[in-house]
């Protein structure tokens, strides 16, 4: 039997697994991904990526351009409506590009929303991961997994036979039912399964209906069924999701019935329909009670399954994958101690719960009052929640007056530790960039010019002592603050500095000058990275 060795084994080839593999490979960490299906999904599944997910993917060369190209091909009009069918003369518009509630994002982030189906985004992620050297193995099933103090032993099965892989760590991105989560005894909470949906992928000419109003996602309610339809811009593949009635079997969705359901959705009895694929999935609200079980880390649906109402399930999964990747990189390269990995659960689990509860609340709003009893209340600022999430863990040095919040208004950034580093437009040798463009490869120390030389020298000394990847930059010297808002947005005065993590979150800041910048910075990094002082 073949035996192999790899630092990280990723189980699952969806959003979370592919993003983890791509970001690990980009950081030159050998990674193997196994997926039991023969390829990435052909079903569109989730639609769209929020700007925070795009920010985390941006360091991968060319990926933002490829994702944007897909979005441009679909049409940059993200509209959502509730209607009886596509021919409903008076649909209720939920989101319209004519009155965009997301206009503020242009001042908050350089990353744009990407309106593309999951199948297309997965295709891009797979291509980038393979291009960067990740070992992706489809038609490969995890049979068993055993842990010990030094690593994980996984038995894999392919059509050709079985093999054994030894890994330091495992990313479990194996979906809603997560066999790994169950086998490792990780408990869950939440409202559980809320219903099942048959997803019908079909080819039909809807151009007379779709182009006219450019609605991308329709919630359909009529006498025949309730569900959703995700359309392109006319001729081509579309998806109709039909909610199964109580006690209804998946076998009821024969090809003939699927055709009839599409015709009802379009209100065109003679519509020429070709069914391409059908699959059934559960709509659920399930939260893992821990994102870590020894050397195994849960991501995506294995960590948090949420209703699709709100469209953040896919983005949250990608954020999980990107997040665990940089933490594993720090530990595997010796920049952080092994206990640093506990910060993944501490930071991501509250955000996963927040997002899943928000989507559950959105579902409740669209249900009769009697059916939504026990559902959470909607978030007051859902768009702010897209990019105003905060973290608290030992990898963040909270300031004494911190209120412990896990969400803030990104429209009024303040740069406090635990917050996403604010977007500031900079001029770097004649090129306009964002502060967000500086993050991803390692830690970044941004210093005010009044103390720039002291902080730059301190960063050099600490980088050498600890072997930590640390970039030192002085704002308004090599980087020009175009709009003069750096100090205000980052909450620093003359001589201050801010330490930003690879994920673009502020880990610590010094509002003003320090008597011993090198000593302070070393102490801070040792604490953040779980690197005790050997003396």
């Amino acid at each position: 039997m073949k035996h192999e060795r790899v630092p990280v084994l990723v189980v699952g080839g969806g959003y979370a697994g592919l993003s983890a593999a791509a970001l690990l490979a980009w950081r030159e960490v050998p990674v193997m991904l196994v997926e039991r299906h023969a390829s990435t999904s052909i079903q569109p599944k989730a639609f769209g990526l929020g700007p925070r997910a795009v920010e985390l993917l941006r360091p991968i060369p060319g990926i933002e351009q490829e994702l944007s190209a897909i979005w441009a091909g679909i049409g940059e009009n993200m509209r959502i409506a509730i209607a009886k069918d596509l021919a409903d003369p008076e649909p209720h518009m939920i989101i319209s590009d004519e009155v965009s509630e997301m206009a503020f994002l242009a001042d908050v982030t350089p990353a744009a929303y990407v309106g593309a189906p999951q199948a297309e985004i997965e295709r891009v992620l797979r291509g980038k991961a393979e291009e960067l050297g990740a070992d992706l193995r489809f038609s490969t099933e995890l049979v068993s997994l055993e842990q010990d103090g030094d690593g994980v032993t996984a038995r894999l099965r392919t059509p050709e036979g079985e093999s054994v892989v030894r890994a330091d760590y495992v990313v479990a991105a194996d979906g809603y039912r997560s066999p790994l989560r169950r086998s490792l005894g990780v408990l869950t909470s939440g409202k559980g399964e809320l219903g099942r949906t048959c997803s019908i992928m079909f080819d039909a000419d809807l151009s007379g209906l779709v182009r006219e109003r450019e609605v991308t996602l329709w919630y359909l309610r009529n006498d025949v069924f309730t569900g959703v339809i995700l359309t392109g811009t006319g001729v081509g593949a579309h998806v109709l999701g039909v909610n199964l009635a109580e006690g209804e079997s998946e076998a009821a969705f024969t090809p003939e019935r699927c055709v009839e359901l599409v015709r009802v959705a379009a209100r065109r009895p003679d519509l020429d329909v070709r069914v391409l694929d059908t699959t059934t999935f559960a709509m659920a609200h399930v939260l893992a009670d821990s994102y870590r079980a020894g050397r195994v880390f849960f991501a995506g649906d294995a960590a948090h399954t949420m209703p699709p109402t709100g469209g953040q399930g896919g983005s949250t999964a990608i954020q999980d994958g990107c997040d665990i990747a940089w933490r594993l990189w720090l530990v595997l390269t010796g920049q952080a101690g092994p206990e640093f990995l506990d910060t993944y659960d501490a930071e991501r689990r509250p955000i996963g719960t927040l997002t899943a509860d928000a989507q559950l609340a959105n579902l409740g709003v669209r249900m009769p009052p009697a059916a939504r009893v026990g559902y959470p209340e909607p978030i007051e600022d859902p768009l702010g929640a897209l990019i105003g999430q905060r973290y608290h863990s030992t990898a963040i040095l909270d300031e004494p007056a911190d209120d412990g919040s896990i969400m803030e208004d990104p429209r009024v950034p303040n740069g406090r530790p635990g917050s996403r580093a604010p977007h500031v437009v900079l001029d770097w040798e004649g090129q306009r960039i964002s502060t967000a463009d500086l993050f991803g490869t390692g830690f970044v120390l941004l210093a005010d010019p009044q103390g720039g030389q002291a902080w730059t020298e301190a960063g050099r000394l600490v980088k050498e002592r600890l072997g930590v990847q640390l970039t030192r930059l002085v704002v308004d010297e090599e980087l020009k603050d175009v709009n003069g808002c750096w100090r205000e947005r980052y909450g620093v005065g003359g001589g201050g500095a801010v330490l930003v993590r690879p994920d673009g979150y502020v880990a610590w800041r010094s509002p003003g000058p320090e008597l011993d910048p090198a000593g302070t910075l070393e102490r801070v990094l040792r604490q953040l990275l779980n690197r005790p002082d050997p003396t």
Side-chain angles (χ1 to χ4, degrees):
M1 184 179 294
K2 185 178 181 181
H3 287 69
E4 297 177 272
R5 179 76 174 81
V6 68
V8 182
L9 173 66
V10 177
V11 182
Y15 268 170
L18 288 170
S19 55
L23 266 299
L24 283 165
W26 175 69
R27 292 189 168 96
E28 300 182 347
V29 175
V31 55
M32 178 191 297
L33 180 149
V34 296
E35 165 56 54
R36 64 186 181 88
H37 291 104
S39 69
T40 53
S41 176
I42 64 170
Q43 286 265 359
K45 291 187 175 181
F47 186 87
L49 287 185
R52 178 59 189 153
V54 176
E55 277 186 354
L56 290 168
L57 293 172
R58 289 178 90 220
I60 299 174
I63 194 166
E64 189 175 24
Q65 290 77 13
E66 289 193 34
L67 293 174
S68 297
I70 298 171
W71 185 208
I74 293 174
E76 297 183 359
N77 294 303
M78 179 57 184
R79 296 177 178 178
I80 300 177
I82 299 175
K84 292 181 178 179
D85 48 50
L86 298 185
D88 192 331
E90 297 181 351
H92 171 62
M93 303 301 296
I94 301 176
I95 297 178
S96 171
D97 64 323
E98 295 175 351
V99 184
S100 176
E101 294 177 278
M102 300 180 73
F104 79 92
L105 288 173
D107 190 49
V108 173
T109 174
Y113 171 86
V114 172
Q118 182 171 340
E120 290 296 310
I121 295 171
E122 283 186 0
R123 178 183 57 78
V124 172
L125 286 170
R126 176 181 181 174
K128 287 299 180 182
E130 291 175 332
E131 180 184 312
L132 291 164
D135 181 4
L136 306 187
R137 302 187 184 185
F138 290 84
S139 299
T140 302
E141 183 180 3
L142 177 71
V143 177
S144 65
L145 182 143
E146 295 181 359
Q147 301 191 63
D148 55 48
D150 299 318
V152 178
T153 300
R155 185 180 294 270
L156 307 177
R157 180 187 296 134
T158 69
E160 290 73 39
E162 292 192 356
S163 63
V164 173
V165 172
R166 180 73 174 170
D168 294 302
Y169 298 101
V170 171
V171 177
D174 54 343
Y176 157 49
R177 290 185 173 84
S178 185
L180 273 174
R181 189 186 65 214
R182 294 187 179 193
S183 68
L184 293 169
V186 175
L187 301 178
T188 61
S189 58
K191 294 191 75 68
E193 189 166 302
L194 304 169
R196 297 187 66 77
T197 297
C198 180
S199 179
I200 305 165
M201 187 176 178
F202 66 95
D203 188 2
D205 183 357
L206 302 180
S207 54
L209 297 167
V210 178
R211 291 182 187 276
E212 189 174 309
R213 281 178 285 200
E214 295 179 319
V215 174
T216 305
L217 178 65
W218 302 76
Y219 289 98
L220 302 182
R221 300 173 180 170
N222 53 59
D223 295 337
V224 179
F225 70 88
T226 62
V228 298
I229 188 166
L230 179 66
T231 65
T233 53
V235 178
H238 315 277
V239 172
L240 172 65
V242 178
N243 299 330
L244 275 67
E246 187 174 351
E248 186 172 20
S249 168
E250 299 173 15
F253 289 84
T254 62
E256 294 76 17
R257 186 182 179 211
C258 289
V259 169
E260 287 306 311
L261 289 169
V262 171
R263 289 171 174 167
V264 170
R267 204 195 296 177
R268 286 186 176 176
D270 58 349
L271 182 67
D272 185 15
V273 179
R274 183 164 65 97
V275 175
L276 304 174
D277 185 61
T278 60
T279 188
T280 303
F281 63 91
M283 181 169 63
H285 177 257
V286 177
L287 306 170
D289 290 352
S290 174
Y291 282 17
R292 180 177 190 179
R295 290 175 172 266
V296 179
F297 299 87
F298 301 98
D301 281 356
H304 44 69
T305 304
M306 59 191 75
T309 39
Q312 294 308 303
S315 293
T316 308
I318 283 182
Q319 290 176 59
D320 290 343
C322 295
D323 193 277
I324 191 58
W326 73 268
R327 295 175 201 270
L328 288 170
W329 165 68
L330 284 178
V331 171
L332 289 166
T333 54
Q335 297 180 72
E339 292 80 4
F340 178 77
L341 293 174
D342 288 335
T343 61
Y344 172 69
D345 175 87
E347 294 183 7
R348 288 301 301 165
R349 188 153 55 92
I351 299 305
T353 300
L354 171 78
T355 309
D357 285 352
Q359 305 240 135
L360 182 64
N362 290 340
L363 178 64
V365 168
R366 296 164 194 178
M367 297 170 66
R372 69 180 73 150
V373 174
Y375 278 43
E377 291 297 317
I379 290 177
E380 292 183 7
D381 184 14
L383 295 178
L386 293 178
I387 204 162
Q389 301 165 353
R390 298 192 67 224
Y391 292 149
H392 302 280
S393 74
T394 56
I396 300 286
L397 294 189
D398 285 337
E399 293 174 342
D402 194 278
D403 59 4
S405 62
I406 61 171
M407 196 173 74
E408 65 183 6
D409 187 350
R411 303 167 184 83
V412 286
N414 53 47
R416 59 179 171 164
S419 299
R420 174 183 153 276
H423 163 58
V424 172
V425 179
L426 303 170
D427 185 297
W428 195 345
E429 298 180 348
Q431 181 181 358
R432 292 292 174 92
I433 66 168
S434 165
T435 43
D437 296 312
L438 307 174
F439 313 135
T441 56
F443 284 87
V444 175
L445 184 68
L446 294 174
D448 183 77
Q450 290 186 21
Q453 184 175 353
W455 284 115
T456 298
E457 178 62 16
R460 183 189 67 79
L461 291 171
V462 173
K463 180 178 181 179
E464 291 178 358
R465 289 174 188 168
L466 299 183
V468 174
Q469 193 159 326
L470 175 66
T471 301
R472 296 91 64 204
L473 296 168
V474 180
V475 179
D476 270 344
E477 286 189 5
E478 60 260 69
L479 300 171
K480 302 298 181 185
D481 180 4
V482 173
N483 297 316
C485 60
W486 137 257
R487 284 184 174 178
E488 178 186 359
R489 289 196 168 191
Y490 278 79
V492 297
V498 175
L499 183 67
V500 182
R501 309 187 316 185
D503 62 344
Y505 267 71
V506 176
W508 165 85
R509 69 178 172 186
S510 174
E514 297 278 345
L515 293 176
D516 179 15
T520 297
L521 187 59
E522 180 173 353
R523 184 174 64 255
V524 164
L525 276 167
R526 284 190 180 278
Q527 183 174 343
L528 294 174
L529 296 172
N530 207 285
R531 296 270 300 274
D533 191 332
T535 60

